[in-house]
Amino acid sequence: MTEPPVAKFGLFIAGEEVEGQGGAGRRLLDPAHNRPVAEVAVGGRDDARRALEAAQAAFERPGWATDDGSLRAQVLRRLAAKLSESAEAFARLETLNMGKPLRESRGDVQYVARTLAYVSGLADKIEGSTIPVPGPRFDYTLQEPLGVTVHIAPWNYPLLLAIRSVAPALAAGNTVVLKPATPTPLTAIAFARLAHEVGLPPGVLNVVTGAGADVGEALVDDPRCRQVSFTGSGPVGRRIAELAARRVIPVTLELGGKSPVVVFPDADLDRAAKGVVYGIFGNAGQMCWAGSRLLVHRSVHAAFLERLASLAEKLRLGPGIEETTEMGPLVTADHLASVVGHVDRARSEGARIVTGGDRPSDPALASGNFLKPTVLADVAPTSRAAQEEIFGPVLVTFPFDDADEAVRLANQTSYGLCAAIWTRDLGTAHTLARRIEAGMVVVNEAPVTFPQTPFGGYKESGLGSEQGRHSLRSYLRTKNVSVHLGAPRKTA
Ligand code: NAD
């Protein structure tokens, strides 16, 4: 039986969709069934160089970078509106490619539209300052775009995390080369098509697919690249920082996490349980900021785990494209194998499986990359399951006796991305918010973020931050201009 034809996607360079040097396209599989959903062109090092050349030419052309910001604001606003109109198509494409439930993809696409609208409001408010200096001089600063910025994105929120950094870079007047993750490039390419439909000048946004070690490194290690915004794993982040350090260019790193969720006995435990479930089983746990380490006060620990298990067991697993699905598959069969490996190792080291731990028995899910929502107890806080980012629907849990112990356990990893605290006591909430080492703290809610609030990690979770009104700073440089006003005129 011949397979039905699938949609084709090319690289996007200089305003045109083109073939990659990697020859025949790569077939991408739907994680829910492992059936082909699209064929995508495969880029290589020459494509990376072509994209940088197009971006450099667009930067040097009068217009995008030299405008006062109003042209950029208009284009970004139009893009936000157009994306909202096309939101359903984008959400479906994201779900088919990445696997997450449609309702989550819809939320992601709306988030991208809100990000574009938010940064469009900043594009024409990029201002320098005047500085009083001695003598007959006038001193002022200019905020200038950097040139070509390179954005390397992960697969877990393919469009959202790509555009989270691309949007402020564009608003600041840079031109961009975006490299989406190898398994999930479709919405980035569709976004580039849309951007050109609404009038983004050719070469301002280029998308190159391909392997990270090949295309990604070629992009970073090129003199035309003036900044790198990377979202992904720690090891790759370090490699990119090394390459960037050699070339003395700035990087923003958004890396992994092992985020603690601290539940005190005075919390609204019903809401807390729902929040914990969302925070670890949303996107099948494939979230940098997943609340993957649960610390519960000993007095309610056992009862809270029962409550969690019951909620987890009710989650409806299925293909993301079905409206009723609450948790989808993992992104690839390889990633499923990696997550299962973590669970098996924890089990062999004595962890107790509170719920889950294996694949669902439903035959309809057999060909997809599904794993049951999993809760582990009796895990040593220093074990690999408690320290390493599993990046799947796997929660490790610990009891604690007092706030000091909760803080110690919360800080006992190399990461510091996010933390959640559940309590009705304001003093406890604000004190812990200060004592926990994390770039983001959420009180009495599942992890939450907005285009207007900073997103970034402490410790090994990252360097710098994205989002918020200061996000444009990463994509600007400051020039000081000092003007001598001439010798003072002699007065009679
Ligand atoms: P990854 O590091 O494997 O890949 C990320 C991107 O880097 C991909 O586009 C990949 O092709 C590219 N890449 C790989 N090797 C490269 C190299 N040598 N040079 C240049 N580019 C290279 O990460 P992933 O598996 O796609 O994503 C999961 C990771 O991302 C997790 O660790 C997760 O926590 C992290 N993440 C962090 C955030 C955040 O905001 N802090 C958000 C989402 C995901």
Side-chain angles (χ1 to χ4, degrees):
M1 196 178 82
T2 53
E3 283 176 357
V6 294
K8 294 201 175 196
F9 289 75
L11 317 185
F12 212 92
I13 299 178
E16 287 181 1
E17 203 157 334
V18 294
E19 296 286 313
Q21 67 172 140
R26 202 170 98 88
R27 291 217 139 188
L28 299 175
L29 304 180
D30 161 14
H33 305 99
N34 283 303
R35 287 196 297 248
V37 286
E39 192 174 295
V40 68
V42 181
R45 286 177 174 264
D46 287 344
D47 296 311
R49 285 188 275 271
R50 275 200 295 149
L52 288 163
E53 194 177 300
Q56 182 69 37
F59 185 74
E60 287 170 10
R61 206 177 303 131
W64 188 254
T66 50
D67 174 67
D68 66 354
S70 44
L71 161 74
R72 301 196 297 270
Q74 276 170 26
V75 172
L76 291 166
R77 266 199 297 276
R78 282 205 299 271
L79 190 47
K82 188 80 177 168
L83 183 65
S84 292
E85 279 170 27
S86 323
E88 187 59 19
F90 269 82
R92 297 185 88 81
L93 189 61
E94 195 78 300
T95 285
L96 276 176
N97 189 185
M98 192 272 157
K100 65 174 64 180
L102 208 38
R103 64 178 80 171
E104 293 188 32
S105 294
R106 288 181 181 131
D108 290 0
V109 176
Q110 285 309 334
Y111 195 95
V112 176
R114 276 164 40 219
T115 299
L116 291 162
Y118 178 74
V119 301
S120 75
L122 301 174
D124 57 0
K125 296 169 191 67
I126 298 169
E127 295 166 357
S129 53
T130 59
I131 305 176
V133 293
R137 294 183 186 87
F138 175 56
D139 195 287
Y140 64 97
T141 60
L142 294 172
Q143 297 294 318
E144 298 182 325
L146 297 158
V148 178
T149 59
V150 164
H151 303 252
I152 300 182
W155 48 257
N156 59 335
Y157 292 82
L159 185 66
L160 190 158
L161 293 177
I163 306 308
R164 178 175 75 171
S165 69
V166 164
L170 292 177
N174 299 282
T175 56
V176 159
V177 181
L178 165 64
K179 194 202 92 60
T182 312
T184 56
L186 300 186
T187 46
I189 298 163
F191 183 85
R193 292 174 182 162
L194 200 72
H196 287 82
E197 271 174 49
V198 304
L200 191 77
V204 169
L205 168 62
N206 307 277
V207 181
V208 190
T209 63
D214 199 22
V215 173
E217 295 208 8
L219 289 173
V220 176
D221 209 14
D222 186 288
R224 287 164 292 201
C225 163
R226 301 308 316 156
Q227 192 269 1
V228 185
S229 178
F230 172 76
T231 306
S233 63
V236 176
R238 280 188 189 80
R239 171 73 184 144
I240 285 173
E242 277 168 22
L243 292 173
R246 281 193 224 154
R247 299 200 34 250
V248 199
I249 57 168
V251 287
T252 303
L253 301 177
E254 296 280 1
L255 308 177
K258 192 77 179 174
S259 296
V261 180
V262 186
V263 179
F264 285 89
D266 69 331
D268 177 338
L269 295 176
D270 269 338
R271 280 192 61 226
K274 286 180 192 144
V276 170
V277 163
Y278 174 80
I280 183 64
F281 302 131
N283 203 5
Q286 301 165 114
M287 300 182 282
C288 54
W289 67 349
S292 51
R293 282 185 309 139
L294 175 66
L295 319 178
V296 187
H297 192 268
R298 196 176 299 278
S299 62
V300 291
H301 184 254
F304 194 76
L305 292 200
E306 269 178 36
R307 214 185 278 233
L308 279 186
S310 139
L311 288 174
E313 283 156 18
K314 288 195 193 101
L315 283 178
R316 236 177 329 231
L317 269 58
I321 208 74
E322 289 176 10
E323 294 285 354
T324 51
T325 291
E326 291 171 319
M327 194 177 103
L330 298 179
V331 67
T332 57
D334 282 352
H335 187 56
L336 170 66
S338 151
V339 175
V340 168
H342 277 281
V343 175
D344 289 346
R345 187 181 321 105
R347 201 190 321 242
S348 71
E349 289 173 0
R352 176 166 59 90
I353 310 279
V354 179
T355 186
D358 52 6
R359 306 199 49 197
S361 53
D362 181 352
L365 305 183
S367 60
N369 313 321
F370 292 93
L371 181 69
K372 285 187 198 161
T374 299
V375 179
L376 305 178
D378 303 337
V379 176
T382 51
S383 66
R384 287 182 64 181
Q387 292 292 322
E388 291 179 10
E389 186 182 42
I390 297 175
F391 222 55
V394 181
L395 178 67
V396 296
T397 65
F398 314 95
F400 67 86
D401 289 308
D402 58 27
D404 284 342
E405 189 184 16
V407 169
R408 189 177 53 72
L409 286 168
N411 288 337
Q412 200 181 19
T413 74
S414 55
Y415 294 112
L417 190 56
C418 185
I421 303 164
W422 293 85
T423 178
R424 288 192 170 100
D425 184 303
L426 276 181
T428 304
H430 288 289
T431 306
L432 257 71
R434 288 172 187 220
R435 292 181 66 195
I436 294 178
E437 289 181 276
M440 292 167 282
V441 175
V442 182
V443 177
N444 291 336
E445 202 175 354
V448 68
T449 188
F450 306 94
Q452 51 272 61
T453 58
F455 193 111
Y458 281 14
K459 294 156 76 179
E460 291 183 24
S461 286
L463 188 65
S465 61
E466 303 284 1
Q467 302 189 161
R469 66 190 310 165
H470 299 305
S471 58
L472 263 61
R473 280 193 193 154
S474 308
Y475 305 103
L476 291 165
R477 53 189 168 175
T478 303
K479 178 179 282 173
N480 190 77
V481 182
S482 185
V483 183
H484 197 281
L485 300 176
R489 209 181 277 167
K490 284 205 179 93
T491 49

